[in-house]
Amino acid sequence: MAGTAAIPKPKRGGRWSPWLFAIPALAVYVAFLVYPAVSSLFFSLTNWDGLSATYKFVGLSNYFKLPHDPVVVTAVKNNLIWTVVTIAVPTVIGLVLAIALNGKVHGKPILRLIFYTPAVLPLVSIASIWGWLYNPQYGAINSLLRAIGLDGLAQPWLGQDSTALWAVMVPAIWLRTGFPMLLYLAALQGIPNELYEAATVDGASKWQQFWHVTMPSLRPAHYIVLALSLIDSFKVFDMIYAMTYGGPGTSTQVMGTWMYFNVFQYYQAGYGTAIAVVITLVAIAVGIPYVRSQTREAS
């Protein structure tokens, strides 16, 4: 028949071609993700010190040890405080900035760049900058307090139990505000103006428009921000390691730093990997609803 072409039959073995192309990626996935994960799970059931070739299978004793470790109790408490503060504050500030930048503001691109810049700076640079600012003798924060006559408030912010964790949270909040701001800004620009016009015709105030139009329309953005921030907050390690090294004492220890110290400093790799497995399970438990929601939307 004119205008049609015979469809060539697939060559023998052609149905395996996609799998052959997937082999390199699958090999990398198994080598760098599956194998380390399975190995970590295995070593969490041993008393391996991380160096020697010998170890003993101890079952779940490393996991039973966790609730009786006072540092783990402190780390879990710090993780929870860190999670609540570093999710709530950046999310609220990001939403406020997004609403402000979505309005009639001059120099929007420059303002977006200014507010998002901390999110792309190297974390070590941010930790160093805030370490200088917190310096008890020459830091800008204490110098400013002394300059305005508040000498009594000048203190070693990172050197005492009562302020160290909160002092590390400040640069973390500064760092994390840019992500929700950009996400909310993109979501705000997708809300149809007709919704606001209809609300205005119905006599809704600005607050009522925000609460009944803006907030429900931002529900997908809320979910993404909260899910990713929760996963990121619970596996916090780098900021605390760079600024306080878990100290003073154990006042700023979190599960991530305590896992690191057990594996690489105290040579209790079995116990450390048990902590890592717990962190991973929590991240998976939080991430599954997010992945399911994204899959449902995509389908």
Side-chain angles (χ1 to χ4, degrees), residues 95-154:
L95 178 59
V96 172
L97 288 174
I99 292 174
L101 292 176
N102 194 46
K104 297 179 181 178
V105 179
H106 296 291
K108 286 183 183 179
I110 296 177
L111 292 175
R112 291 172 188 169
L113 178 64
I114 291 173
F115 291 127
Y116 191 68
T117 296
V120 297
L121 288 176
L123 191 139
V124 175
S125 301
I126 293 176
S128 299
I129 291 170
W130 282 89
W132 296 333
L133 293 174
Y134 283 133
N135 186 289
Q137 296 299 326
Y138 312 107
I141 295 175
N142 281 348
S143 298
L144 177 62
L145 291 173
R146 295 188 186 101
I148 60 177
L150 299 175
D151 300 56
L153 296 179

Side-chain angles (χ1 to χ4, degrees), residues 117-217:
T117 296
V120 297
L121 288 176
L123 191 139
V124 175
S125 301
I126 293 176
S128 299
I129 291 170
W130 282 89
W132 296 333
L133 293 174
Y134 283 133
N135 186 289
Q137 296 299 326
Y138 312 107
I141 295 175
N142 281 348
S143 298
L144 177 62
L145 291 173
R146 295 188 186 101
I148 60 177
L150 299 175
D151 300 56
L153 296 179
Q155 52 192 299
W157 299 97
L158 298 175
Q160 54 188 9
D161 296 358
S162 59
T163 58
L165 184 63
W166 301 100
V168 182
M169 286 184 193
V170 174
I173 292 170
W174 182 61
L175 174 68
R176 295 181 176 202
T177 299
F179 170 67
M181 183 200 71
L182 279 189
L183 202 61
Y184 282 132
L185 188 58
L188 285 170
Q189 293 174 353
I191 301 176
N193 286 328
E194 289 78 7
L195 295 178
Y196 293 104
E197 293 171 358
T200 303
V201 171
D202 291 339
S205 64
K206 291 293 184 184
W207 170 253
Q208 290 172 325
Q209 291 182 23
F210 169 76
W211 193 250
H212 296 291
V213 176
T214 304
M215 290 298 282
S217 301

Side-chain angles (χ1 to χ4, degrees), residues 199-284:
T200 303
V201 171
D202 291 339
S205 64
K206 291 293 184 184
W207 170 253
Q208 290 172 325
Q209 291 182 23
F210 169 76
W211 193 250
H212 296 291
V213 176
T214 304
M215 290 298 282
S217 301
L218 293 178
R219 188 175 294 119
H222 292 321
Y223 199 80
I224 294 173
V225 168
L226 293 178
L228 297 183
S229 299
L230 186 57
I231 295 172
D232 195 40
S233 294
F234 198 82
K235 61 183 182 64
V236 57
F237 167 80
D238 37 20
M239 181 70 79
I240 289 180
Y241 181 83
M243 293 190 69
T244 65
Y245 208 60
T250 59
S251 60
T252 59
Q253 286 284 5
V254 291
M255 292 291 281
T257 54
W258 191 230
M259 177 270 295
Y260 172 83
F261 288 131
N262 274 283
V263 173
F264 296 105
Q265 290 201 348
Y266 305 147
Y267 303 111
Q268 298 182 14
Y271 185 54
T273 51
I275 298 174
V277 170
V278 171
I279 296 173
T280 304
L281 292 177
V282 172
I284 291 174

Side-chain angles (χ1 to χ4, degrees), residues 44-68:
S44 71
L45 305 175
T46 70
N47 65 348
W48 188 43
D49 61 5
L51 294 175
S52 64
T54 60
Y55 49 80
K56 179 182 177 183
F57 185 76
V58 295
L60 297 175
S61 62
N62 286 328
Y63 293 94
F64 292 143
K65 180 182 173 183
L66 289 173
H68 305 288

